Amino acid sequence: MENFEFHNPTKILFGKGQVSSLKKEIPAYGKRILLVYGGGSIKRNGLYDQVMRELREIEAFVIELEGVEPNPRLTTVKKGINLIRDNQLDFILAVGGGSVMDSAKAIAAGVPYEGDVWDIVIGQAKAPSNSVPIGTVVTIAGTGSEMNGNSVITNWDTNTKAFFNSPYVLPKFSILDPELTFSVPRDQTIYGSVDIMAHVFEQYFHASNNAPLQERIGEAILLSVVETAPKLVNDLHNYEYREVMLLNGTLALNGLTGMGVNPDWATHLIEHAVSAVHDIPHGGGIAIIAPHWMEHVAAVRPEKVAQLGVRVFQLDRAGKTDVQLAAEAIHSLRELWASIGAPTKLSDYGIDDKEIELMTERAMLADQIGSYVPLTKDDVRKILRNSL
């Protein structure tokens, strides 16, 4: 196990009716608010009206930034920064899914920064400690952005998707009401389920020794998703299934499963490159790439993939090698994701081999990426070709 520090100050308000907590939570940070949301679903399902009622009760001054994209764009972040500066706002309320929350974090970091916010996103500058405080109202399970300092932003001018992490953009509070996820359509529910599992995988397949507790915590989350996702996608308004999946998503990426380990994240880097070029749903891309990544690394280090198969997919170890178990585990993962309706190949999105080299280049943030089995450019190119 590696030395580590763990500090997560985000306050979680979980359960039915928690939107009413806004009038209690927000005033501690200010009443001049940038309200950030996506394509308008919160207006169709009534959540927008709920939020505005709460804000009126505290006599908040509200400026709206609507239309945040599924792969949130740098141009939208810069628009939000200007809105806060021009209107002297002091708090950001993000109402939506991961894209909305990620945009809010980049806006929060960019407001006090004197340079281009893209410097922060690509790691050339750190998010300042006086970043604008954030609160979130979560409408989808999967990203975990409600309880971490991660933000993924796309620069469409350069077809680059990059991310940053900072403790200074951790939400002050996050409201998680499972009923607010009822309106999430089936495809987005599928993508969220895949993304939760992938977040655990990225930390489960690590390059550290002696982390049995972290692995067991990750396996518990994975087991919960395996049990719940097939039922949820066929019963989208089931409160109990939504409740379980929402908490799965938060715990998968709030730092708990990554304490003291050197995580991998190569699958996400490859998918970020794909969706930066082709603008496909992140969870859909992950569903395609992750099994191919797993096959690639299992050829070098099958033991952890075999462990996943035994502990999560309940494979019988008797008389089998790690190589055999790893192959069965990957088959089980593919079967699970296919059974809930996840895509299986990049050509499902009309992607061919024309931009393999561009996507490979975009994925390579260094000479090698990943930690469980470090990948070279040739390795990434092979994984992408196999994913077509």
Side-chain angles (χ1 to χ4, degrees), residues 136-149:
T136 81
V137 179
V138 182
T139 61
I140 188 169
T143 71
S145 194
E146 64 271 12
M147 202 177 183
N148 64 48

Side-chain angles (χ1 to χ4, degrees), residues 203-222:
Q203 299 164 95
Y204 188 79
F205 293 99
H206 57 77
S208 305
N209 296 316
N210 194 35
L213 178 58
Q214 295 93 316
E215 291 169 11
R216 288 293 192 182
I217 294 170
E219 288 159 3
I221 297 169
L222 292 171

Side-chain angles (χ1 to χ4, degrees), residues 340-359:
I340 64 174
T344 60
K345 52 188 183 299
L346 291 176
S347 57
D348 291 341
Y349 291 111
I351 299 173
D352 55 27
D353 63 355
K354 290 187 179 65
E355 292 173 301
I356 288 285
E357 291 305 317
L358 175 59
M359 292 186 291

